[in-house]
Amino acid sequence: MKNTHQLKSEKKIFVIVLLVMLVIVNAFTLFIAFSSAKTNIELVTSRVVDVINQDTQNNRSIASDLGAMLQLPDRLLNQNLGIDIKRLIGSLNETQGEREFPVWKADIDMLHRKKFTILRTFWRNFSNANKSRFTTYYTDGDTGYYYMFNGEKAVKIKGSNPHFRITGYIDTTSKMLKNNHGFVIPELFYSNVYEDAITHLPTITIGSPVVINNFSVQSSKMSGIIATDYTRPDLSGLFRDAFTQLNLQHAGYDIGVHSQKGNDVPMNIFPDNTSWLSFALGDIKLMNGFCLSARVHFTELLRIKLSGLIIANMVMLFFFLIFIRSHKRIESMMVKLTTDTLTQALSREGGKIVTDNISNGRNTILVTMDLNDFKVINDTWGHHAGDEALVFFANYLLQSVRQGDYLIRMGGDEFVLLLQHTTLEQARRLMDQRMAELHAFPFEDTSIPLSFSYGISEWQHDFTESFKKADENLYQMKKQRKQKNNESYA
């Protein structure tokens, strides 16, 4: 049979195990939510990449066509494009407003006018579905020109502008083309994250190289790039659209963009999405030249797996309530089995549980006690008075019991007191004091004399041996008391 200490220990162990399981289950559920959040970002990113890839593919087509057209004589250009190239590149009238004639400034040379006329024709022939809604232009480097497709405007680059710093890219690509005799597809141009000189916004640029091939001499050269700029608001709009298309909420995520080149200015896609507690989802590839640094908010993790968290915690709570209810029943049964219902001291069965678990190294003292002349009380005042005497005596003794001490009712008016971590001398002083202080107990409207005798022994390996010795000392005290009483009567 388990004792109360074992039950309490089991209860503590169960609560600890339950708490550990609760932490594990919730952590596992949050881990699943974390994985779902990363998958969500990857899905959203793939939607954004699809848009950028489409822009890039269109730019590649324009770049390839431009590279091919720049090699053609004017006669073939006119035939392929359906234009009069000489007429279109020769006008310097800045006030001319006819749509078919571009307006050239005097500082734009004839070669660039030819490039821009071809680009203008390409762009006009493109369907709106294939045109990027973001800023797209042609540029040939730091000191050259750029041509804005959206506004059909050509401008000479002046000063140091990070917007058009592609000289290094052009030089590297040109060397690669030369070393491979033109038979190589050059990589796209990827900027770092920079502050745009015009909009003053964090921006990334992706450009498709314009290569002029001369297959007769097996050589190629770079002319420039067809590029598209994506500012922070541009990318924010793309990500918001992707979240909406996938039925997801962007408010639970922080997304930053950084390049492989480094030396980036900060670009937070959702600058208003701040959280006191968030978790890094790691780097997620955007394009070859760019990555996302994504974080998910704790509240978003809760939202993703809210139903799972609620169900898991309710199941754990259900098991906890079942255990507590069962444990209380067992404790109640244990109390009934181990407690004397009259005196609330331990019963003989409860005492056996205690004595079976006493170790020899605790300096335990065993005291046996019974009431003097208890039969006289029963015969004179009735058994009800005897019960009151037993209850009073048990309460009286329990006042002396410390934590770890035990009072056991062995039967009738016989009690055993187990005092732990004490000596014989300390126990004798305690019992003598309690014996001297007890004189009577109140019953109805009178006071009935009450006293007790005791015997004492040190714990000797087992209860039987220790009890026998203490019981012998008890009867010796009773014998001495009777002799003393007889002498006083004589």
Side-chain angles (χ1 to χ4, degrees):
M1 184 182 294
K2 298 177 181 179
N3 58 35
T4 53
H5 290 295
Q6 289 174 319
L7 288 174
K8 289 179 180 178
S9 298
E10 286 182 356
K11 185 177 181 180
K12 288 180 181 178
I13 292 171
F14 177 82
V15 170
I16 291 172
V17 170
L18 182 71
L19 289 174
V20 171
M21 289 181 63
L22 194 65
V23 170
I24 292 173
V25 169
N26 281 283
F28 181 71
T29 305
L30 289 175
F31 174 76
I32 294 175
F34 178 86
S35 300
S36 299
K38 187 168 184 178
T39 300
N40 291 343
I41 289 295
E42 290 171 345
L43 291 172
V44 166
T45 302
S46 68
R47 295 290 182 104
V48 174
V49 169
D50 287 344
V51 175
I52 296 175
N53 279 340
Q54 185 61 51
D55 289 344
T56 303
Q57 188 60 43
N58 292 335
N59 291 347
R60 275 187 179 275
S61 297
I62 297 174
S64 177
D65 290 344
L66 177 62
M69 291 294 175
L70 289 175
Q71 302 172 74
L72 298 178
D74 291 350
R75 177 179 58 80
L76 292 178
L77 273 176
N78 293 338
Q79 182 179 337
N80 284 308
L81 297 177
I83 60 174
D84 184 346
I85 191 71
K86 287 185 177 180
R87 188 181 180 201
L88 291 175
I89 66 176
S91 173
L92 292 175
N93 185 356
E94 297 188 11
T95 62
Q96 191 169 354
E98 295 183 46
R99 188 172 183 274
E100 67 272 19
F101 290 102
V103 177
W104 304 116
K105 292 185 178 180
D107 60 354
I108 300 179
D109 58 50
M110 296 298 289
L111 177 61
H112 282 90
R113 291 185 195 180
K114 184 176 183 178
K115 287 182 185 179
F116 298 158
T117 299
I118 296 171
L119 290 172
R120 176 174 176 265
T121 304
F122 286 159
W123 191 256
R124 287 187 174 183
N125 291 336
F126 254 46
S127 67
N128 289 331
N130 292 327
K131 291 180 180 178
S132 175
R133 65 177 185 266
F134 306 107
T135 302
T136 303
Y137 54 90
Y138 165 88
T139 179
D140 52 11
D142 298 359
T143 58
Y145 298 83
Y146 72 94
Y147 177 79
M148 305 295 296
F149 285 100
N150 310 76
E152 297 187 352
K153 182 173 67 173
V155 180
K156 182 175 176 59
I157 299 171
K158 298 178 181 179
S160 178
N161 189 332
H163 203 129
F164 308 107
R165 290 177 185 167
I166 62 170
T167 301
Y169 169 76
I170 291 177
D171 290 343
T172 301
T173 305
S174 295
K175 289 178 182 178
M176 182 184 66
L177 291 168
K178 181 179 179 182
N179 293 336
N180 291 275
H181 304 290
F183 294 100
V184 67
I185 299 176
E187 296 181 356
L188 297 174
F189 168 77
Y190 299 100
S191 70
N192 62 342
V193 183
Y194 63 93
E195 182 180 316
D196 180 69
I198 298 173
T199 63
H200 301 290
L201 292 170
T203 304
I204 62 173
T205 298
I206 301 173
S208 299
V210 177
V211 179
I212 302 175
N213 295 301
N214 188 339
F215 293 108
S216 62
V217 294
Q218 294 186 351
S219 67
S220 301
K221 65 178 181 179
M222 275 280 296
S223 171
I225 63 172
I226 306 295
T228 300
D229 288 349
Y230 301 92
T231 64
R232 180 174 62 196
D234 294 337
L235 291 174
S236 178
L238 286 176
F239 274 95
R240 288 175 191 272
D241 291 344
F243 272 102
T244 301
Q245 291 166 9
L246 292 168
N247 238 358
L248 300 173
Q249 296 182 13
H250 69 82
Y253 298 90
D254 292 330
I255 302 175
V257 177
H258 61 273
S259 73
Q260 293 181 354
K261 291 184 175 181
N263 194 28
D264 298 320
V265 300
M267 180 190 277
N268 192 340
I269 300 300
F270 302 126
D272 296 331
N273 289 1
T274 57
S275 173
W276 63 273
L277 181 60
S278 61
F279 302 92
L281 295 173
D283 281 352
I284 298 172
K285 185 177 179 181
L286 179 62
M287 302 286 290
N288 285 335
F290 304 99
C291 287
L292 302 180
S293 298
R295 301 183 69 85
V296 59
H297 301 173
F298 180 70
T299 53
E300 178 64 11
L301 293 180
L302 293 179
R303 190 194 67 79
I304 291 174
K305 289 296 180 183
L306 182 60
S307 59
L309 286 167
I310 291 175
I311 291 172
N313 284 278
M314 286 185 68
V315 169
M316 299 296 289
L317 179 62
F318 175 73
F319 281 114
F320 178 74
L321 293 175
I322 289 178
F323 172 81
I324 292 298
R325 187 174 180 181
S326 300
H327 199 273
K328 284 185 177 180
R329 287 180 180 176
I330 294 172
E331 282 184 330
S332 178
M333 292 174 61
M334 182 64 71
V335 168
K336 289 180 181 179
L337 289 171
T338 60
T339 304
D340 179 60
T341 55
L342 178 65
T343 62
Q344 298 305 305
L346 289 175
S347 64
R348 183 184 287 268
E349 292 79 9
K352 187 175 187 309
I353 293 173
V354 171
T355 56
D356 286 347
N357 288 277
I358 291 179
S359 62
N360 294 326
R362 290 189 179 180
N363 296 326
T364 302
I365 302 299
L366 187 149
V367 183
T368 59
M369 298 160 289
D370 66 11
L371 295 175
N372 297 322
D373 302 322
F374 182 63
K375 187 175 182 303
V376 174
I377 296 175
N378 281 331
D379 293 344
T380 305
W381 302 93
H383 288 285
H384 178 61
D387 289 346
E388 290 291 324
L390 292 173
V391 172
F392 180 84
F393 181 58
N395 289 334
Y396 178 75
L397 291 176
L398 286 171
Q399 295 175 12
S400 305
V401 173
R402 304 162 301 174
Q403 186 175 3
D405 296 340
Y406 300 94
L407 178 66
I408 306 168
R409 184 186 178 192
M410 300 300 293
D413 65 329
E414 188 175 8
F415 292 84
V416 168
L417 186 61
L418 294 173
L419 303 173
Q420 301 193 68
H421 304 294
T422 189
T423 64
L424 275 173
E425 185 59 34
Q426 290 172 335
R428 283 195 184 95
R429 283 201 299 269
L430 173 65
M431 298 311 299
D432 287 342
Q433 179 183 359
R434 303 306 288 163
M435 191 171 62
E437 292 175 351
L438 182 62
H439 304 289
F441 76 97
F443 178 71
E444 295 179 351
D445 296 330
T446 186
S447 184
I448 299 175
L450 188 67
S451 63
F452 71 96
S453 299
Y454 74 90
I456 193 168
S457 72
E458 290 184 302
W459 184 261
Q460 301 292 329
H461 305 294
D462 61 37
F463 176 76
T464 302
E465 184 179 346
S466 304
F467 179 78
K468 182 178 179 182
K469 185 173 181 181
D471 206 40
E472 289 173 355
N473 292 333
L474 169 65
Y475 281 100
Q476 185 65 31
M477 179 179 284
K478 277 185 168 294
K479 184 177 179 181
Q480 292 174 358
R481 179 177 176 275
K482 285 182 180 181
Q483 289 177 351
K484 186 176 180 180
N485 287 341
N486 290 336
E487 289 173 0
S488 64
Y489 289 133

